[in-house]
Amino acid sequence: MRRAVPRGVWVVPPVAVLAVLFLYPLGLVVQQSLTPDNGGGAFDAYARVFGSRAFLDALGTTVWLAVGATLGCLVLGFTLALIIAFVPFPGARAVAKFIDVFLSFPSFLITLALLFVYGTVGMANGLVTEFTGAAEGPFRFLTTPWGVLLAEITYFTPFVIRPLLAAFSQLETAQLEVAAGLGARPARIVRRVILPEALPALGAGGSLVLVMCLNEFGIVLFTGAKDVTTLPMLIYGKAILESDYPAACVVAVVNIAISVGLFGLYRVVSKRAGA
């Protein structure tokens, strides 16, 4: 009689592939962070990086950009989702479908588009110089932290809109009609009826955006914001420009730890949202 293969055996191949492709490289990063090039203790690189002003500044910049972009995406995404879902206008379905397509765009394309509009030689500055005769245009914010913030909000807002539209599609329209019939104003309907139903989707979308903003590299690089150094940019500088691989790996380990923690939060929130 032919013996059945234990179920546990079938788990071995995918786990082995996962270990080779993902866990082994991560293990090398951790090992390199604990192996200073000039010798010394295992945690000397950590002490050196944690005590450096560059790391503290990069950590602070990363956090405030990620939090600021997330808040901006939540406010803008909620407003746009309300309009798409509840304000009838021609092309609403097309806009909703375009949002799905937009999610597949790389972040540097959005930054490139903003450069064409608000860059030093972009359309906005070109119009101002053409009509006023000035030598330079007034729009120079794109290479500042505010420009990075604008680019991140522009790119990541659809990641908040999508779960909100899914949540709004399950909302009973009868509740809105009853509230309107009782004389409730639109702002009150949004606050008392729609917002409570949208909170799980807002939490899931917001936590996902927070994770992605924390690890965003392309937007900062393509805006040309030289004074904006985030953790991914610091990793790039330490590894590629300075060849300080232990320090780069230390920053990478910190970045991974924060990302994994925030991703765990995203999974908890999305599970409660039914995602």
Side-chain angles (χ1 to χ4, degrees), residues 67-162:
V67 172
T70 301
L71 293 177
C73 290
L74 289 175
V75 173
L76 182 60
F78 183 70
T79 303
L80 294 178
L82 280 177
I83 296 173
I84 295 171
F86 300 112
V87 179
F89 65 92
R93 289 186 178 180
V95 172
K97 290 181 179 180
F98 174 75
I99 289 173
D100 292 337
V101 177
F102 187 93
L103 298 178
S104 65
F105 290 174
S107 59
F108 70 85
L109 283 182
I110 305 304
T111 310
L112 197 60
L114 289 175
L115 285 172
F116 282 131
V117 178
Y118 298 110
T120 306
V121 293
M123 294 171 53
N125 282 324
L127 289 173
V128 172
T129 55
E130 181 179 351
F131 283 102
T132 64
E136 297 180 346
F139 300 104
R140 296 185 171 277
F141 65 90
L142 205 55
T143 57
T144 69
W146 300 107
V148 176
L149 189 65
L150 172 64
E152 290 189 350
I153 291 174
T154 302
Y155 178 70
F156 289 114
T157 293
F159 290 87
V160 174
I161 296 177
R162 195 64 198 86

Side-chain angles (χ1 to χ4, degrees), residues 163 199-208 262-275:
L199 285 178
L202 278 172
S207 55
L208 177 61
L262 290 177
F263 181 75
L265 174 64
Y266 162 71
R267 291 301 302 162
V268 171
V269 175
S270 61
K271 190 184 239 181
R272 292 185 179 180

